[in-house]
Amino acid sequence: MNINYRCHASIDLYGRKLLGYDVEPIKDSRIYKIGIDGNETDIGLWFERNIKQMISNFGVNKNSEIGILSKKDLTLELFLEKVNLPHKIFKKNDFGRSPITL
């Protein structure tokens, strides 16, 4: 299996790009890039403060429609260090990837 049918094509392509694959951009992208000063923990705090506005701006119906991608587990761990929102993190382990609910 080489296509993720559970998410929008632009998100799948961005994930592949993070992993170093050469990908062609698509017109209907749902990936947004912004600059935030600070480290991963600061970005997590910014995310928590702005999540309601992002949900409103992008017409998100359920929090499960939101995904944060990173190349390394440590990056996500630092991002979530001070985030007090319900979430699932998918981390690498000896058996592939498994969700950890926090």
Side-chain angles (χ1 to χ4, degrees):
M1 188 162 103
N2 60 3
I3 298 174
N4 183 347
Y5 293 100
R6 295 176 293 172
C7 68
H8 190 268
S10 64
I11 296 168
D12 180 50
L13 290 176
Y14 186 74
R16 291 169 189 259
K17 186 175 180 178
L18 279 178
L19 295 173
Y21 292 93
D22 187 25
V23 297
E24 293 289 325
I26 63 174
K27 291 181 182 180
D28 182 23
S29 180
R30 296 186 183 175
I31 304 297
Y32 299 91
K33 180 179 178 180
I34 58 170
I36 300 167
D37 291 331
N39 59 25
E40 288 86 349
T41 304
D42 296 325
I43 295 168
L45 290 170
W46 177 91
F47 179 82
E48 185 170 20
R49 284 192 305 266
N50 292 279
I51 186 71
K52 289 182 181 177
Q53 185 65 43
M54 289 185 283
I55 287 171
S56 175
N57 287 352
F58 298 109
V60 174
N61 296 312
K62 300 180 292 186
N63 286 355
S64 62
E65 296 175 351
I66 300 168
I68 306 296
L69 305 176
S70 74
K71 191 169 184 176
K72 298 181 181 178
D73 290 345
L74 178 59
T75 304
L76 282 177
E77 291 170 11
L78 293 170
F79 173 86
L80 292 168
E81 199 168 88
K82 296 189 179 180
V83 172
N84 294 309
L85 299 168
H87 60 273
K88 289 182 183 177
I89 182 172
F90 290 81
K91 298 173 85 173
K92 293 179 184 177
N93 62 36
D94 292 337
F95 303 105
R97 292 188 182 271
S98 62
I100 300 171
T101 304
L102 302 174

